[in-house]
Amino acid sequence: RALYSGEVELIRTWIELGAHWTDEDVETFREAELALTKPELPETDSEFDHPIDRFTNAYFQDQNISWPEPVDDATYMRRVYLDVIGLLPEPDELKAFVEDTTPDKRDRLVDSLLNRDHDYAQHELTFWNDLLRNAYTGTGFITGGRKQITDWLYNALKDNKPYNQMVRELVNPNENSEGFIRGIEWRGDVNASQTTEMQAAQNISQSLLGVNMKCASCHNSFVSNLTLKESYSFAAVFSDTLLAIERCDVPTGDFAEPGFIYEELGEVDKNLPKEARLEQLADIVTSEKNGRLYRTIANRYWARLIGRGLVEPTDEMDLEPWNQELLDWLAADLIDHDYDLRYLVSSILRSDTYQLPSVAVNEQQAGAEEYVFTGPTRRRLTAEQYVDALSQIAVPVYNSVAYDPYGGNDIEADWIWYDARVDGRQSLPPPGTYYFRHAFDLPAESQIEDARLLISVDEAFELYVNGTLAGRGEDWRQVGHMDVTQHLENGENLLAVKGENGGTTANPAGILLNLRINYEDGGWLDVTSNREWTVINRSPQSGWEQPGFNDSDWDTVRTFGTYKDNNHWGQLVDFTHNQAGERLQFARASLVENDPFMKTLGRPPREIVNTTREGDPSLLQALELTNGEVLNEVLGRAADRWLDEYGQDPDKMIEQIYLSAYGRKPTAGEARLAGEMFAPDSGKAAVQDLLWAIVMQPEFQWIY
């Protein structure tokens, strides 16, 4: 990447001082204070009561800036929804909020959103997965040399675990949180700066302390006071053996003694075993004396919600903030409120400072020296926010997740299909039609209360229960929910499926089925797709879908993984009998494996720590959103949805699309232009074009 202006200035200073090089400690660059003292609030004779606003007011007075009027209710609601839960407000919610005349409605809105634990955690996961380089798949997972921390992280966010406790469990991990310092065991040869021990030191330094250690992992840093010896000393804390120091991959002959990069905060006992050293390190890192830890997270949250950090870039916390007292106050106030991150979010959202009109990003604001704060910086939706917004106004972009946050789903089922063989070895099945059977018995004395069946088939199916056609489907993403109570009987029963695998080349295909039979006495039985099913790859004799048919010459099926553990379909969010309880309404993008579509929109692969995402649109993004297959397919399905609901009333459809996407009705000019698109017989194409025009607008893609 290009150097930030602050980094250029640091290097310029180093050169002006003589560009001295030594392996000893040299204090050339600015270092932020470690100690943290909560500043006194500025005196004010204005109407501002919120502490953040009092600091902002003092700053505005110094800069001769007048307070602008806060944003209107609709803008505020959309901004807060996207910042807290990552979703667009529903039109009815927005209408009720705008019409509410009570003076505390914005505070109540913040409270209500922060209390939506699962929605909050699903949105927060995007930021924290980036920060802790937690991924669901990718480099390291193939060989088992990487471990995700999703379950630990999600529950920490949902339960609002205190930040110091989160950090403690990352630095001195348990089995569920160890993936962070475990890092990636790269395949093949790696340089000394990419060993797992050095990764742990680098990741903690960057993610939690805002310190760039990567340069100092090869040699003394060019952009900070960190030395090679200090970096290796920190890495040695995580090593089971003596750690040899290498300078630019050349052994120096020295060995590192375990220690923290800020020795004044405490010493790590080199004579202790690794587990005890990590416990000691966790005490040091989370100490209230370590103001850097709490300034760093306060600065990151400020940057997320305001659009730019008090210190920028947020990974260079030794740089001077544009408001040191405000940064110190936020960090100290977080400690005073029991390290409560939701409290930190709430405090910022309730301030008039957050409610100022957004300002456009421009080159003048890019440099720290020239930056003058006048309001929140306008932000583009993240890849995850954009995908979720599409799912809200169109149709679900994704239908399965890599991680199911609700857990507790006791569904059992395997994806099954024909066991294709080439030279005796398993291969992918060729396209075609296949036939499947599974018989089961219901005791004669059983009294059935109800029987409900879930089915997904990639890619088309006909389902028979005891010879009766019970359902059809042509899209594996749309789980079939069927009541088959009337089709069952005591004694032998049969499930039969005619499945079709399309395409022109061999490819994975599968049937996923769960039949839950509830008895009147409270018991229940699950009949699932599993290895006990039989299959044939040619048209069978008549009666194949009936009980009693002789299928002794049929083959045993092959399984392609379970409902939760497979390489092709993920966990279908609608594959559940629990329709009334807590569950995902659609697959939130933060819970989905990365794919080319989200990569194009800016979601990183998370092989390294990511603390910022590129805000400017790229040519690749423009091409994907203009001609890409994913968006086109989603909007095509969405057009069908909108036509089904409003096909007889295009004017009402246009109004509802605008309300869903923008939270407002179309202007007269917009309504006229949209209406002109609906010529006679235009149908689906017109709706699809309108939706595309809507989601391409800055009003949809930006947080104002």
Side-chain angles (χ1 to χ4, degrees), residues 84-279:
V84 177
I85 62 173
L87 299 173
L88 299 173
E90 295 296 330
D92 290 346
E93 294 174 318
L94 185 58
K95 181 175 184 292
F97 182 75
V98 171
E99 292 177 353
D100 186 349
T101 58
T102 56
D104 65 340
K105 66 179 182 180
R106 294 194 179 190
D107 287 345
R108 287 189 287 108
L109 174 63
V110 170
D111 288 339
S112 68
L113 292 176
L114 288 172
N115 286 329
R116 289 169 60 168
D117 294 337
H118 279 290
D119 287 335
Y120 171 83
Q122 286 156 28
H123 172 57
E124 285 289 294
L125 205 57
T126 293
F127 166 76
W128 284 97
N129 277 343
D130 282 3
L131 185 67
L132 303 180
R133 74 174 191 178
N134 180 56
Y136 307 119
T137 186
T139 301
F141 287 105
I142 296 173
T143 60
R146 188 178 186 186
K147 184 177 180 180
Q148 60 172 283
I149 61 171
T150 310
D151 193 58
W152 172 86
L153 177 58
Y154 187 89
N155 285 297
L157 297 170
K158 177 179 68 70
D159 299 336
N160 199 28
K161 183 174 289 187
Y163 181 61
N164 63 334
Q165 186 62 30
M166 286 181 65
V167 172
R168 178 177 292 279
E169 293 176 20
L170 289 169
V171 174
N172 180 30
N174 55 43
E175 182 180 358
N176 293 322
S177 61
E178 67 179 345
F180 176 59
I181 64 168
R182 178 175 171 177
I184 300 175
E185 296 174 17
W186 299 94
R187 288 187 288 179
D189 294 331
V190 297
N191 61 43
S193 68
Q194 284 302 301
T195 62
T196 54
E197 298 87 356
M198 190 61 78
Q199 286 181 52
Q202 291 170 349
N203 293 343
I204 288 175
S205 297
Q206 182 180 357
S207 298
L208 307 180
L209 303 174
V211 178
N212 184 348
M213 185 178 281
K214 292 178 181 177
C215 185
S217 301
C218 285
H219 46 71
N220 289 352
S221 177
F222 294 143
V223 294
S224 75
N225 295 326
L226 274 176
T227 66
L228 180 67
K229 181 180 178 181
E230 289 173 329
S231 296
Y232 266 88
S233 178
F234 193 17
V237 177
F238 308 96
S239 180
D240 292 308
T241 61
L242 284 174
L243 197 59
I245 300 176
E246 296 187 19
R247 182 174 180 275
C248 298
D249 274 350
V250 178
T252 64
D254 295 328
F255 291 87
E257 292 189 353
F260 188 44
I261 51 178
Y262 300 111
E263 294 180 348
E264 58 267 48
L265 293 176
E267 294 184 359
V268 176
D269 189 342
K270 65 180 180 180
N271 298 312
L272 293 175
K274 175 183 171 182
E275 291 73 17
R277 292 198 304 268
L278 293 180
E279 185 175 355

Side-chain angles (χ1 to χ4, degrees), residues 478-531:
Q478 305 302 314
V479 176
H481 290 254
M482 305 174 187
D483 185 341
V484 297
T485 309
Q486 63 183 2
H487 299 309
L488 299 180
E489 55 191 38
N490 296 105
E492 183 181 0
N493 290 266
L494 181 83
L495 297 175
V497 178
K498 176 183 177 182
E500 182 179 344
N501 178 19
T504 57
T505 59
N507 61 88
I511 293 172
L512 186 70
L513 181 147
N514 179 285
L515 168 60
R516 177 155 296 174
I517 303 167
N518 293 306
Y519 298 125
E520 291 183 354
D521 63 4
W524 52 274
L525 171 70
D526 271 3
V527 180
T528 71
S529 49
N530 56 35
R531 293 179 185 273

Side-chain angles (χ1 to χ4, degrees), residues 56 120 188 208 226 253 266 291 294 324 337 382 418 433 445 457 476 561 586 688 701:
T56 302
Y120 171 83
L208 307 180
L226 274 176
Y294 303 107
Q324 182 71 62
H337 287 84
T382 64
Y418 181 69
T433 302
E445 67 277 9
V457 179
W476 68 270
F586 58 86
Q688 192 168 352
Q701 297 189 11

Side-chain angles (χ1 to χ4, degrees), residues 318-392:
D318 283 318
L319 298 179
E320 190 169 359
W322 62 262
N323 196 320
Q324 182 71 62
E325 287 195 329
L326 175 54
L327 177 59
D328 288 350
W329 187 89
L330 288 169
D333 196 50
L334 174 64
I335 295 173
D336 288 347
H337 287 84
D338 301 321
Y339 312 92
D340 185 337
L341 290 176
R342 285 199 212 187
Y343 166 80
L344 175 60
V345 173
S346 174
S347 181
I348 296 173
L349 297 183
R350 294 171 191 272
S351 70
D352 286 355
T353 303
Y354 173 83
Q355 299 175 45
L356 291 171
S358 64
V359 296
V361 180
N362 57 51
E363 291 301 319
Q364 181 185 7
Q365 292 177 320
E369 298 83 358
E370 301 86 10
Y371 177 71
V372 175
F373 176 78
T374 57
T377 303
R378 206 160 295 156
R379 293 163 283 144
R380 288 185 70 209
L381 299 181
T382 64
E384 291 86 349
Q385 286 171 321
Y386 185 79
V387 167
D388 286 346
L390 280 177
S391 295
Q392 287 183 269

